[in-house]
Amino acid sequence: MILEQLLSQRGLVLQSPTAEELRERTKQVNYTTVFYGETYDHTGNTIDSMKYYFFVADLADALRAEGVEVQPVILVADTAACRNVKPDLEYKYLALGEDRANFVRRVSETYGLNLKVLKMSEFINTVDFIKKREDVIDICINDPVLMQLIEKSVPESKVETEKKKGFMYSYDEIATIIDLDVKVGPPREDLYDNIAREVAKRKGTKQLMSLFLTPTFPLGMNWAYFFCNEGIEDHGITAYKGGSKRLQDNRILIGRTTEEQIEDLIDTSFISTNPLLPNPVLDIGIISKIAKQRLNGERKPIQLSEIFYSGEISPEQLKKLVKMNVKQHILEVLK
């Protein structure tokens, strides 16, 4: 699949640099890093994370086909996950981080993604990373505008807590991404990405390019849920944390959510034919379509969004198709 096709997939890519902008970046560096990073929680591995693993691999493949030396990287931010838990839970959450890293490796091997999987604990205590983080902190604390952005990167309810911790969670994130070329992620990460660009601008170094995929929404919800939670339409819920907004019962967790539960979640999900409204069933459909193609050794643009919103298939037909594809191309191969 060529770069232009990849970036224009409706229902998958929300915001992206142009193909030419990406090509120009690849000419400025010896090799290009395509990166996605995530934390996790105790609930398990979400199907929604697979969207990002697939896309990072697709983008790397598209660039590689043009002769670019590229490294697709998935970071499991285990130490970042530990910063938000009690000290006596740190060991457990580091173990959960290894579980998530193993899940990414299994997905990569099963679907031929050729991903490099890293854990934050593997580099966060190195001399180079500590120096990079100190440079970021020094630039930020001497710039009131940047410090305002740092505070905004933290949920309002946690600002005072994070202030006492020196905003280290945010600084770890910024130091991790500041030297990257292309970062794939959910739209809610724009705050971190923007700070990284502003710091790089002040340093006179290359600026991170961000590519955002469509938000994740909970399954099994009726129209009233989205009506009463209007703000969720902008950023959705956290793709990589099954317990985001305590909605783990409305997520597909690989190896935990049963086939019967998945069918019920899809059957009871509200679907609108308005493309501006959330459509979690379509999102799962796109993920499972990519999985199918990957298993068959092919990759071409996913047109499920166009097919559905043109009226070619009904909401009930979409649900039936998605249930079949999830079962055959994800559940049965990741047992």
Side-chain angles (χ1 to χ4, degrees), residues 127-146:
V127 173
D128 287 346
F129 184 81
I130 292 172
K131 175 63 167 61
K132 186 189 297 186
R133 185 176 60 200
E134 288 175 346
D135 289 345
V136 169
I137 292 173
D138 186 58
I139 290 172
C140 288
I141 64 176
N142 289 292
D143 190 317
V145 173
L146 289 179

Side-chain angles (χ1 to χ4, degrees), residues 41 188 216 218 221 225 229 231-233 235-238 241-251:
D41 59 20
R188 65 171 60 245
T216 293
M221 294 299 191
Y225 173 82
N229 294 272
I232 202 172
E233 295 178 19
H235 295 116
I237 55 179
T238 306
K241 289 184 178 181
S244 176
K245 298 189 184 299
R246 300 181 181 179
L247 292 171
Q248 57 266 33
D249 292 338
N250 297 90
R251 309 290 296 277

Side-chain angles (χ1 to χ4, degrees), residues 33-41 46 48-57 71-81 97 100-101 104 115-121 123 169 172-178 180-190 192-193 208-213 216 237-241:
T33 302
V34 178
F35 174 96
Y36 164 71
E38 64 180 11
T39 57
Y40 48 85
D41 59 20
T46 65
D48 308 289
S49 282
M50 292 175 63
K51 176 166 69 172
Y52 295 90
Y53 309 157
F54 286 150
F55 192 87
V56 166
Q71 179 70 74
V73 175
I74 306 296
L75 173 69
V76 177
D78 53 353
T79 51
R100 177 60 64 93
V104 182
L115 300 170
K116 179 178 181 179
V117 183
L118 293 176
K119 293 187 296 180
M120 185 176 274
S121 57
F123 63 79
Y169 185 101
D172 284 346
E173 168 82 9
I174 296 161
T176 298
I177 67 178
I178 191 168
L180 296 174
D181 299 306
V182 183
K183 177 175 172 290
V184 179
R188 65 171 60 245
E189 292 185 358
D190 192 36
Y192 288 125
D193 294 4
L208 171 73
M209 302 183 81
S210 299
L211 194 156
F212 300 123
L213 302 187
T216 293
I237 55 179
T238 306
Y240 41 82
K241 289 184 178 181

Side-chain angles (χ1 to χ4, degrees), residues 10-13 47-49 51-52 54 213-219 237 239 251-252 271 278-290 302 304-305 309 318 322 326 330:
R10 185 177 174 186
L12 180 61
V13 179
I47 193 174
D48 308 289
S49 282
K51 176 166 69 172
Y52 295 90
F54 286 150
L213 302 187
T214 52
T216 293
F217 300 105
L219 290 159
I237 55 179
R251 309 290 296 277
I252 296 177
I271 295 184
N279 193 335
V281 174
L282 178 63
D283 195 39
I284 300 300
I286 290 172
I287 294 169
S288 57
K289 276 280 192 180
I290 300 173
I302 300 296
L304 189 58
S305 182
Y309 288 117
L318 175 65
V322 173
V326 169
I330 296 180

